Amino acid sequence: MAARLSLRLLAPMLLLLWQPTAAWQPPWAVPEMDFTQCATDVHWVGQNYMNMKGLVMDDVTFRYCPSRLPEIWPNLNNSKVTSLRLFRSWNEAWPEERQDTVWDSLVSYVKNNGVKVLMGTPVTCDAQADERDWKWTKALMQRLGPANVMGFAVGNELELLWGQKGIAKDCILELWDKGGLWKTFQQRVAEVDEIGFGSLAITSVFTSGIIYSGDKFLPFVNIPGQAMVNDFLKNATRKYARRFVFSVNIYPYFDPTLTIDPPHHTCESAIKIATCFKTGCLANKALIEVRLKMVALTHRPDDRLWIGEIGWSSPKADALSTAMASCPTFSSVESLTLFYRNFLEWDLSVGAPGVLDPDHAFYFTMRDAQNFGNQEYFGLLKSCNNAECKIHSADFVPPEMLRRYSWMNFFLQLLGSTLVLTGLFCATWASAAAACPRRKGDRDSSEESDSSSESSR
């Protein structure tokens, strides 16, 4: 009876621990995840100009899983990623002993897939750190080679630096008012030319906010003590002409003009105008304004324009402070899906006669990451440990082939297996003991005990 009860208790454990899995292997036999694209059951067609679109590589992907860069665009079956944007080449906070391994993975991905990279080197208030970053950037550029580098950017969104906590006013004055950025830019370009990248496109990336505080004489923002962007762009375009590329980050997601004022201004109307890419949409309006300002500065209609970043956060980004922060659907996966699909289908047209379209656009980003200490969720994947696309159906279950047992899972199964085997051994022993006849001596002893008990009464 005890044996049958033990087996009944053990049967469910056996089913849970030993249900069929696809090609299980112990962890020491499992190679690095063979990753080409994220897993999903939502796939689209109708994408346009994918050779003029690329992905931004976030710091999470760069540091923790450079061997898991998507070769195929998420939610597309046949469109390969052809360009990549890097903010930096390394970070002093990352383990130095992993640098070669990480760079090997990146270089292998780039060369095996024919990817072009927009390199980036930071500019901060720490000159020594900037020089170290620049050495890393040059070293990585040389490993990639001129054939795989489409350009390099000096600084990213530096017009916002003055508003960051802990930034000294002297640093801002040195960077902008005293021409520090312009001096650094020229030095970086000269050194790039010396190592064999003489015809490489050069840029510095700003937010689209630089277009909203200028005038017809100073098209871009030029505020002493904050950001002298117009002066910098004038110098760069005069000295380097069309080699210099205008680059702006455009985020309809953060647009401060989006309000909630029913019946005309609602969450739904905001989502509609912020997620589209046609005449009248926020992204298109910003791009048209950028182009007009470029012409006002250089008097040339055909300077190149790159979108350095464009994307949508789901769930809500910590930095979202507009009226849309109180609109749950604005940062939903459904809104992300709408924005991302429209981006893929977009032919890069701004929809205005006589206004040239952007020449390239980088989607931000591969995986969720932090920015200036704020958690953002612009990734098309959630994390390095998650192989699923963020966009999938509600009942989607990723294929088992994308799952790999970690050491912890292995030891948990080993422990469970040991418990099951121990239970089976005990159940078998109990069953065998119950089936064996007692020895005569045992019986006599028992009877003597009973007799002894009787006589004592």
Side-chain angles (χ1 to χ4, degrees), residues 151-198:
F152 85 97
V154 180
N156 183 64
E157 299 185 346
L158 287 174
E159 83 279 11
L160 303 180
L161 189 62
W162 69 273
Q164 299 298 322
K165 293 182 180 179
I167 300 300
K169 185 176 181 180
D170 288 346
C171 168
I172 301 302
L173 292 174
E174 181 65 34
L175 185 72
W176 289 111
D177 299 62
K178 297 180 181 180
L181 175 59
W182 174 232
K183 294 173 186 175
T184 299
F185 188 87
Q186 295 176 88
Q187 292 170 359
R188 301 291 188 253
V189 174
E191 291 184 42
V192 159
D193 291 350
E194 289 175 1
I195 61 174
F197 292 83

Side-chain angles (χ1 to χ4, degrees), residues 150-284:
M150 64 179 286
F152 85 97
V154 180
N156 183 64
E157 299 185 346
L158 287 174
E159 83 279 11
L160 303 180
L161 189 62
W162 69 273
Q164 299 298 322
K165 293 182 180 179
I167 300 300
K169 185 176 181 180
D170 288 346
C171 168
I172 301 302
L173 292 174
E174 181 65 34
L175 185 72
W176 289 111
D177 299 62
K178 297 180 181 180
L181 175 59
W182 174 232
K183 294 173 186 175
T184 299
F185 188 87
Q186 295 176 88
Q187 292 170 359
R188 301 291 188 253
V189 174
E191 291 184 42
V192 159
D193 291 350
E194 289 175 1
I195 61 174
F197 292 83
S199 60
L200 194 64
I202 53 178
T203 188
S204 187
V205 185
F206 301 100
T207 71
S208 59
I210 63 172
I211 65 177
Y212 296 114
S213 59
D215 54 43
K216 65 180 181 178
F217 300 108
L218 296 173
F220 298 97
V221 63
N222 221 57
I223 303 174
Q226 292 186 10
M228 309 287 284
V229 177
N230 198 84
D231 285 355
F232 171 81
L233 292 175
K234 181 172 64 175
N235 289 332
T237 53
R238 282 181 177 177
K239 180 169 183 174
Y240 299 107
R242 288 179 177 83
R243 183 184 177 187
F244 181 84
V245 181
F246 288 84
S247 297
V248 293
N249 298 334
I250 296 178
Y251 282 101
Y253 179 84
F254 289 117
D255 196 303
T257 65
L258 294 173
T259 60
I260 300 177
D261 185 19
H264 300 295
H265 301 285
T266 64
C267 289
E268 290 69 27
S269 65
I271 292 170
K272 184 177 180 180
I273 196 173
T275 59
C276 60
F277 291 87
K278 55 187 179 182
T279 303
C281 298
L282 293 182
N284 296 62

Side-chain angles (χ1 to χ4, degrees), residues 299-318:
H299 306 289
R300 298 189 297 259
D302 57 348
D303 285 297
R304 285 181 292 177
L305 171 62
W306 291 346
I307 300 176
E309 303 169 32
I310 191 167
W312 196 272
S313 181
S314 178
K316 181 173 73 70
D318 289 352

Side-chain angles (χ1 to χ4, degrees), residues 168-447:
K169 185 176 181 180
D170 288 346
C171 168
I172 301 302
L173 292 174
E174 181 65 34
L175 185 72
W176 289 111
D177 299 62
K178 297 180 181 180
L181 175 59
W182 174 232
K183 294 173 186 175
T184 299
F185 188 87
Q186 295 176 88
Q187 292 170 359
R188 301 291 188 253
V189 174
E191 291 184 42
V192 159
D193 291 350
E194 289 175 1
I195 61 174
F197 292 83
S199 60
L200 194 64
I202 53 178
T203 188
S204 187
V205 185
F206 301 100
T207 71
S208 59
I210 63 172
I211 65 177
Y212 296 114
S213 59
D215 54 43
K216 65 180 181 178
F217 300 108
L218 296 173
F220 298 97
V221 63
N222 221 57
I223 303 174
Q226 292 186 10
M228 309 287 284
V229 177
N230 198 84
D231 285 355
F232 171 81
L233 292 175
K234 181 172 64 175
N235 289 332
T237 53
R238 282 181 177 177
K239 180 169 183 174
Y240 299 107
R242 288 179 177 83
R243 183 184 177 187
F244 181 84
V245 181
F246 288 84
S247 297
V248 293
N249 298 334
I250 296 178
Y251 282 101
Y253 179 84
F254 289 117
D255 196 303
T257 65
L258 294 173
T259 60
I260 300 177
D261 185 19
H264 300 295
H265 301 285
T266 64
C267 289
E268 290 69 27
S269 65
I271 292 170
K272 184 177 180 180
I273 196 173
T275 59
C276 60
F277 291 87
K278 55 187 179 182
T279 303
C281 298
L282 293 182
N284 296 62
K285 286 182 176 180
L287 286 168
I288 292 171
E289 191 66 21
V290 170
R291 274 291 186 190
L292 294 177
K293 299 280 183 152
M294 289 167 57
V295 173
L297 181 72
T298 68
H299 306 289
R300 298 189 297 259
D302 57 348
D303 285 297
R304 285 181 292 177
L305 171 62
W306 291 346
I307 300 176
E309 303 169 32
I310 191 167
W312 196 272
S313 181
S314 178
K316 181 173 73 70
D318 289 352
L320 182 63
S321 58
T322 68
M324 294 300 103
S326 62
C327 178
T329 55
F330 189 78
S331 299
S332 66
V333 175
E334 289 73 21
S335 294
L336 166 65
T337 302
L338 187 61
F339 182 88
Y340 178 55
R341 185 171 187 178
N342 285 341
F343 172 80
L344 294 176
E345 294 178 352
W346 182 35
D347 62 2
L348 296 185
S349 170
V350 298
V355 179
L356 295 183
D357 306 327
D359 298 278
H360 209 91
F362 290 96
Y363 190 90
F364 184 84
T365 181
M366 293 184 184
R367 291 175 173 87
D368 295 343
Q370 287 192 341
N371 183 35
F372 291 115
N374 295 314
Q375 183 61 46
E376 295 181 338
Y377 304 91
F378 286 86
L380 294 171
L381 291 86
K382 291 181 179 179
S383 70
C384 287
N385 296 324
N386 194 315
E388 299 144 38
C389 300
K390 193 180 285 187
I391 299 173
H392 56 73
S393 67
D395 56 353
F396 172 66
V397 177
E400 279 294 322
M401 65 180 295
L402 289 179
R403 299 187 183 274
R404 294 290 186 267
Y405 286 90
S406 66
W407 280 97
M408 181 62 74
N409 289 337
F410 173 72
F411 281 119
L412 286 175
Q413 262 209 349
L414 183 61
L415 177 61
S417 302
T418 303
L419 292 174
V420 169
L421 292 174
T422 302
L424 286 173
F425 174 78
C426 293
T428 303
W429 180 83
S431 178
C436 292
R438 287 180 296 178
R439 294 175 295 176
K440 185 177 184 300
D442 293 339
R443 181 181 178 185
D444 292 342
S445 177
S446 176
E447 288 176 354

